[in-house]
């Protein structure tokens, strides 16, 4: 089969790609270290200081987003999603929180629900945070837009933040020239208008705005935007192309060339403006540039003189239609030049209706490494590629593209920790085991930008916990029926708990309760947000020197 053949024939290509990633990673690390300020101290992490106390809190009527990478600010959005709010974080020691705990009589409990808890709930947020400024972004000409509360991207080590507003378009159809310019148009998606804001967090001002009209961009959890250094890539699911911007002095400068449809120096001429051209469903449009490169790459993997050449050519042509019609579903900037693209099968009308009636089959995927400078495809991998799994595990830190500003450490990965513990390169592992592992973990890439927390209290190498209930990946999780337990990996002692139990017993007739976590990047402070139906409840998990963690088993 072509799947097994790719795993063998691409071994040399994978080795070359691995060497290139290693060289780029070492060069990038050297550059970052040379640019980083020289600190006169090193922040220490003490396992005895943990967010061991859980207390319910009352917050202002806002949607909390996340902390800045330096931990000095907490971002949020107003309930009408028109304003951007920045809170200054005072710090645990400077806020007088311990005095508030003493006055409320928290004592040694892990979860405080005492008679004076209501006063503590109402005042602890104000003790920790102070409103720094509020920016009314969606007003005037942009009043139709609403800010997407699950999107924010930090730039230049949290000097700037990129925000996005959107509104749905009704009754808009693409012009004929758009189908010529972008042959891979995926017009099954709903079009929106988007406006991107660059906010200077130090000065509290908007430094630039970019309007993208009639687009489809996945903003949830930074899914469709990728950032590396000053380079910003935006994936258009509608036009199936990638826009490249550079951040220069707080302004977004768009690169003229769009990645995907055609090569760099290929000029587009609107044929419909010169000739009477009529496009319909039977019109054959050219194969886009990257797909041509993918086909060429796969064709060159076939050795004409090998005994299996005829079968391999047959497999190549059998997969030609899939590659011709596939769409880019996700992408990320590995560095300023290298793109990792995930192609998937183009949904058909029959499959769209199947979503309403039954569980569809997982889409077929193809992973492509593409160099924007040389316009070359450097690697192509299938869903179950063991070579891709090797890249995912070995270069997890680089693919995450997030490091703690305090320690320089990359966020922890449960999958990487698992494979390192299992010694997954051991030859005793069966091929079927490795294939299943690849099918499970390869879809974790491309990685959404800045989607991992660098909190040391979520480090899998230090603490053992159920990553189905909480993980460094900033995604809502299903609420547990018991508190989340964190154990010291070295001693197996319980170091702390998060009491985020579901408010209602699980039932097939009610929506499941979800819980999201906002972690401070280095201090023992976590805010949990539980959603039950349409009601939100907030809890603070914070260090308290009087709290005694019980060592009983749940």
């Amino acid at each position: 089969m072509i799947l097994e053949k790719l795993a063998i024939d691409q071994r040399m290509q994978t080795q070359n790609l691995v060497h290139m990633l290693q060289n780029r990673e070492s060069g990038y690390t050297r550059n970052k270290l040379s640019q980083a300020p020289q600190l006169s101290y090193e922040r220490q992490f003490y396992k005895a200081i943990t967010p061991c106390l859980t207390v319910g809190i009352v917050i202002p009527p806002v949607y909390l987003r996340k902390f800045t990478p330096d931990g000095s600010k907490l971002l949020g959005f107003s309930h009408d999603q028109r304003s951007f709010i920045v809170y200054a974080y005072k710090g645990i020691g400077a806020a007088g929180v311990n005095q508030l705990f003493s006055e409320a009589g928290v004592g040694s409990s892990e979860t405080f629900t005492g008679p004076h808890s209501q006063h503590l709930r109402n005042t602890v947020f104000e003790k920790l945070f102070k409103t720094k400024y509020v920016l009314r972004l969606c007003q005037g000409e942009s009043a139709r837009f609403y800010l997407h509360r699950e999107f924010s991207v930090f730039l230049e080590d949290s000097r700037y933040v990129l925000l996005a507003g959107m509104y749905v378009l009704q009754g808009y159809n693409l012009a004929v020239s758009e189908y010529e310019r972008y042959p891979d148009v995926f017009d099954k998606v709903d079009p929106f208008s988007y406006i991107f804001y660059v906010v200077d967090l130090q000065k509290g001002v908007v430094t630039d705005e970019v309007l993208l009209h009639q687009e489809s961009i996945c903003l949830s959890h930074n899914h469709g935007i990728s950032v590396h250094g000053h380079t910003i890539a935006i994936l258009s699911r509608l036009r199936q192309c990638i826009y490249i911007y550079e951040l220069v002095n707080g302004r977004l400068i768009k690169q003229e060339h769009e990645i995907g449809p055609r090569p760099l120096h290929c000029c587009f001429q609107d044929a419909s403006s010169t000739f009477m051209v009529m496009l319909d469903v039977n019109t054959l449009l050219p194969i886009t540039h990257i797909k041509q490169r993918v086909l060429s790459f796969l064709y060159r993997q076939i050795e004409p003189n090998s005994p299996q050449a005829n079968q391999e050519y047959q497999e190549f042509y059998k997969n030609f239609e899939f590659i011709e019609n596939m769409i880019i579903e996700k992408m990320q900037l590995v560095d300023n030049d290298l793109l990792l693209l995930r192609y998937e099968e183009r949904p058909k009308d029959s499959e769209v209706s199947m979503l309403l009636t039954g569980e569809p089959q997982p889409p077929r995927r193809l992973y492509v490494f593409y160099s924007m400078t040389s316009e070359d495809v450097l690697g192509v991998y299938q869903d179950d590629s063991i070579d891709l799994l090797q890249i995912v595990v070995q270069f997890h830190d680089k693919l995450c593209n997030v490091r703690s500003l305090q320690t320089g450490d990359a966020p922890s990965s449960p999958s990487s920790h698992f494979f390192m513990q299992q010694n997954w390169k051991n030859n005793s592992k069966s091929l079927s085991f490795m294939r299943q592992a690849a099918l499970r973990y390869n879809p974790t890439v491309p990685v959404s930008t800045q989607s991992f927390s660098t909190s040391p209290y979520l480090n899998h190498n230090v603490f053992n916990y159920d990553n189905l209930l909480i993980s460094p990946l900033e995604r809502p999780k299903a609420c547990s029926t018991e508190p989340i337990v964190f154990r010291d990996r070295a001693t197996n002692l319980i170091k702390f708990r998060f009491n985020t139990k579901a408010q209602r017993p699980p039932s097939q007739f009610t929506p499941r309760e979800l819980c999201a976590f906002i972690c401070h990047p280095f201090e023992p402070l976590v805010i949990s947000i539980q959603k039950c139906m349409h009601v939100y409840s907030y809890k603070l998990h914070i260090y308290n020197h009087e709290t005694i963690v019980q060592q009983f088993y749940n």
Side-chain angles (χ1 to χ4, degrees):
M1 294 296 293
I2 192 171
L3 301 184
E4 297 178 358
K5 179 60 180 169
L6 278 173
I8 298 174
D9 291 349
Q10 291 180 352
R11 193 58 50 86
M12 186 62 68
Q13 301 289 341
T14 300
Q15 291 177 356
N16 294 337
L17 185 58
V18 167
H19 291 324
M20 183 192 67
L21 288 172
Q22 289 173 336
N23 293 335
R24 293 189 179 192
E25 184 175 35
S26 60
Y28 173 73
T29 303
R30 287 195 300 270
N31 291 337
K32 292 296 288 185
L33 289 177
S34 63
Q35 296 171 6
Q38 299 298 316
L39 302 179
S40 59
Y41 64 94
E42 181 178 346
R43 184 176 297 277
Q44 299 292 329
F45 174 66
Y46 299 97
K47 289 191 288 185
I49 301 177
T50 63
C52 52
L53 173 64
T54 297
V55 58
I57 60 173
V58 176
I59 71 167
V62 298
Y63 293 113
L64 297 180
R65 171 60 181 151
K66 66 192 309 181
F67 284 95
T68 55
D70 61 3
S72 64
K73 304 176 186 68
L74 176 64
L75 309 186
F77 302 101
S78 61
H79 266 189
D80 64 358
Q81 295 181 239
R82 298 298 195 274
S83 298
F84 173 57
I85 306 167
V86 176
Y87 295 96
Y89 175 57
K90 302 177 184 179
I92 296 176
V97 176
N98 285 330
Q99 181 180 355
L100 186 63
F101 290 161
S102 300
E103 293 174 354
V106 172
S108 62
S109 60
E110 295 182 59
T111 302
F112 181 60
T113 57
H116 301 290
S117 62
Q118 189 60 41
H119 175 69
L120 177 61
R121 287 166 52 89
N122 293 335
T123 57
V124 67
F125 187 86
E126 297 177 356
K127 286 286 186 180
L128 290 168
F129 303 98
K130 179 183 179 181
T131 302
K132 190 175 181 67
Y133 51 81
V134 178
L135 297 178
R136 188 71 175 177
L137 299 180
C138 300
Q139 61 180 345
E141 295 181 356
S142 58
R144 292 175 295 177
F145 293 89
Y146 63 92
L147 295 171
H148 199 293
R149 58 190 177 94
E150 293 181 354
F151 174 82
S152 63
V153 175
F154 296 106
L155 306 168
E156 291 193 6
D157 293 335
S158 72
R159 167 68 187 275
Y160 302 97
V161 65
L162 182 67
L163 307 175
M166 58 188 294
Y167 75 90
V168 66
L169 296 175
Q170 300 290 345
Y172 281 84
N173 295 316
L174 285 176
V176 174
S177 60
E178 293 293 284
Y179 289 89
E180 296 179 290
R181 182 183 295 272
Y182 307 99
D184 273 344
V185 161
F186 182 46
D187 52 10
K188 301 291 184 182
V189 295
D190 296 325
F192 292 81
S193 277
Y194 299 85
I195 184 169
F196 290 89
Y197 300 96
V198 180
V199 178
D200 188 326
L201 290 175
Q202 293 182 5
K203 298 180 180 179
V205 297
V206 176
T207 59
D208 199 11
E209 298 179 6
V210 173
L211 179 65
L212 296 179
H213 184 65
Q214 199 173 5
E215 278 291 355
S216 180
I217 303 169
C218 186
L219 296 177
S220 296
H221 309 294
N222 304 347
H223 186 97
I225 286 83
S226 185
V227 173
H228 192 282
H230 300 280
T231 306
I232 302 166
I234 301 177
L235 171 62
S236 170
R237 295 188 69 237
L238 176 64
R239 290 175 172 80
Q240 287 294 294
C241 68
I242 300 172
Y243 308 122
I244 303 297
Y245 291 84
E246 293 290 333
L247 182 70
V248 180
N249 297 325
R251 301 189 65 84
L252 293 177
I253 309 300
K254 185 180 181 180
Q255 305 300 303
E256 294 185 4
H257 178 54
E258 298 168 354
I259 306 299
R262 55 189 49 81
L264 176 60
H265 299 294
C266 178
C267 297
F268 170 76
Q269 182 178 2
D270 187 355
S272 61
S273 63
T274 307
F275 308 100
M276 294 299 295
V277 178
M278 297 297 294
L279 297 182
D280 56 28
V281 293
N282 297 316
T283 303
L284 293 179
L285 296 172
I287 300 177
T288 52
H289 166 64
I290 296 182
K291 290 182 179 180
Q292 293 182 25
R293 296 285 183 170
V294 170
L295 289 168
S296 175
F297 181 90
L298 294 177
Y299 192 87
R300 285 185 279 110
Q301 302 304 304
I302 302 174
E303 297 180 7
N305 298 325
S306 67
Q308 298 84 15
N310 289 334
Q311 181 181 357
E312 292 168 8
Y313 282 124
Q314 291 177 3
E315 292 291 338
F316 172 81
Y317 289 113
K318 187 173 73 174
N319 288 277
F320 191 95
E321 184 178 359
F322 159 68
I323 296 174
E324 182 182 16
N325 294 306
M326 62 187 183
I327 59 174
I328 306 175
E329 183 61 29
K330 200 173 182 183
M331 62 86 202
Q332 82 167 100
L333 286 165
V334 180
D335 56 28
N336 291 329
D337 174 59
L338 187 63
L339 275 170
L340 171 56
L341 309 171
R342 188 174 79 196
Y343 284 92
E344 295 187 2
E345 286 183 283
R346 182 182 294 264
K348 301 176 182 178
D349 292 338
S350 59
E351 295 173 348
V352 173
S353 62
M354 187 178 181
L355 292 173
L356 304 175
T357 59
E359 187 73 19
Q361 294 295 322
R364 184 179 175 188
R365 301 183 179 98
L366 207 64
Y367 299 84
V368 176
F369 286 91
Y370 177 78
S371 171
M372 293 186 290
T373 302
S374 64
E375 298 187 291
D376 286 331
V377 167
L378 306 179
V380 180
Y381 301 95
Q382 297 277 355
D383 268 346
D384 61 348
S385 169
I386 300 175
D387 292 332
L388 179 60
L389 178 63
Q390 174 190 353
I391 294 174
V392 171
V393 174
Q394 183 175 349
F395 295 99
H396 168 264
D397 293 359
K398 183 174 181 63
L399 293 173
C400 283
N401 192 23
V402 173
R403 288 186 179 273
S404 170
L405 295 183
Q406 289 70 39
T407 64
D409 296 332
S412 174
S413 165
S415 58
S416 297
H417 178 81
F418 168 78
F419 283 114
M420 295 306 177
Q421 293 294 319
Q422 295 291 323
N423 190 17
W424 69 284
K425 292 184 179 181
N426 194 326
N427 293 329
S428 64
K429 298 294 183 184
S430 66
L431 182 62
S432 61
F433 170 84
M434 297 304 297
R435 293 287 191 201
Q436 290 299 319
L439 285 171
R440 179 177 178 182
Y441 292 107
N442 284 349
T444 60
V445 296
V447 179
S448 298
T449 192
Q450 298 176 9
S451 60
F452 283 83
S453 170
T454 59
S455 171
Y457 301 98
L458 299 180
N459 190 332
H460 281 275
N461 298 319
V462 179
F463 298 107
N464 183 17
Y465 57 91
D466 188 349
N467 65 284
L468 296 179
L469 303 177
I470 183 174
S471 75
L473 183 62
E474 296 173 341
R475 297 288 189 277
K477 302 285 188 178
C479 287
S480 59
T481 57
E482 297 294 336
I484 305 174
V485 177
F486 294 78
R487 294 179 179 273
D488 188 337
R489 283 198 178 272
T491 63
N492 202 36
L493 294 176
I494 299 176
K495 302 302 292 184
F496 59 99
R497 294 179 177 86
F498 286 170
N499 190 354
T500 55
K501 295 191 296 184
Q503 301 176 21
R504 296 183 179 182
S507 170
Q508 61 178 340
F509 302 106
T510 58
R512 64 175 182 172
E513 295 184 39
L514 298 177
C515 188
F517 297 88
I518 301 176
C519 302
H520 192 276
F522 55 88
E523 286 198 2
L525 183 143
V526 176
I527 300 174
S528 62
I529 306 172
Q530 292 181 241
K531 181 181 180 182
C532 180
M533 304 296 284
H534 298 288
V535 178
Y536 292 88
S537 60
Y538 301 84
K539 292 180 181 177
L540 181 69
H541 312 275
I542 190 171
Y543 172 68
N544 177 33
H545 68 279
E546 294 186 5
T547 296
I548 300 176
V549 179
Q550 301 295 327
Q551 294 298 315
F552 58 84
Y553 290 89
N554 292 323

